[in-house]
């Protein structure tokens, strides 16, 4: 066999593999169609969603708001009947505060704001707050 003289560029191409005679075959991993056989099945992990934090809506006692107004507010905004609203009002009067209901944060904030707005409209200093249950 005789030696064929190759230019330096051709020698470099042979080394890199750009002019190899063997056609380049596609790697099966590169194509999604071929990955079905080789894909690993992942186990589904159940994700536990935490229940939302609950908040108590609390009325605070003052010496100026009439008891009838407090009962009316409890009935209107917290949907308690006359008897239950009267018990809550007496708890506010005797113990200094009374729980009107337990709600999620957004609902509790809305109820507090409604009660305070209604009390200010009527000229009463009734205070309503919320605390984490």
């Amino acid at each position: 066999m005789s030696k064929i003289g190759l230019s330096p560029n051709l020698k470099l191409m042979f080394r890199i593999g750009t002019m190899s005679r063997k056609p380049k075959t596609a790697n099966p991993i590169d194509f999604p169609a071929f990955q079905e056989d080789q894909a690993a099945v992942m186990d589904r992990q159940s994700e536990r969603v935490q229940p939302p934090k609950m908040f108590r809506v609390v009325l605070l006692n003052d010496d100026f708001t009439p008891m009838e107004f407090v009962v009316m507010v409890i009935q209107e905004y917290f949907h308690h009947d006359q008897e239950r609203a009267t018990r809550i009002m007496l708890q506010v009067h005797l113990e200094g505060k009374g729980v009107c209901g337990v709600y999620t944060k957004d609902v509790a904030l809305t109820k507090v704001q409604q009660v305070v707005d209604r009390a200010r409209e009527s000229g009463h200093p009734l205070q309503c707050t919320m605390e984490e249950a």
Side-chain angles (χ1 to χ4, degrees), residues 10-109:
L10 285 177
K11 286 181 186 178
L12 182 62
M13 284 201 242
F14 274 115
R15 256 188 257 141
I16 295 174
T18 56
M19 294 206 34
S20 65
R21 295 186 184 217
K22 185 176 170 185
K24 192 172 187 179
T25 57
N27 187 353
I29 296 175
D30 293 339
F31 297 102
F34 294 111
Q35 289 180 354
E36 292 174 341
D37 296 335
Q38 299 174 1
V41 177
M42 295 179 65
D43 292 332
R44 182 178 292 217
Q45 295 177 355
S46 61
E47 186 175 313
R48 278 228 143 121
V49 178
Q50 297 295 324
K53 290 182 180 180
M54 302 301 280
F55 291 83
R56 289 190 282 277
V57 178
V58 179
L59 287 178
L60 302 176
N61 187 35
D62 64 73
D63 294 331
F64 304 103
T65 306
M67 292 180 178
E68 295 81 20
F69 180 78
V70 175
V71 170
M72 183 271 304
V73 164
I74 293 169
Q75 286 180 308
E76 185 174 334
Y77 294 106
F78 300 100
H79 308 290
H80 293 297
D81 59 16
Q82 177 78 31
E83 183 181 342
R84 180 78 178 128
T86 303
R87 282 191 204 150
I88 294 170
M89 179 272 302
L90 287 173
Q91 184 181 17
V92 170
H93 181 69
L94 298 174
E95 297 176 19
K97 68 180 186 177
V99 177
C100 297
V102 179
Y103 306 95
T104 59
K105 185 175 185 177
D106 292 339
V107 175
L109 280 171

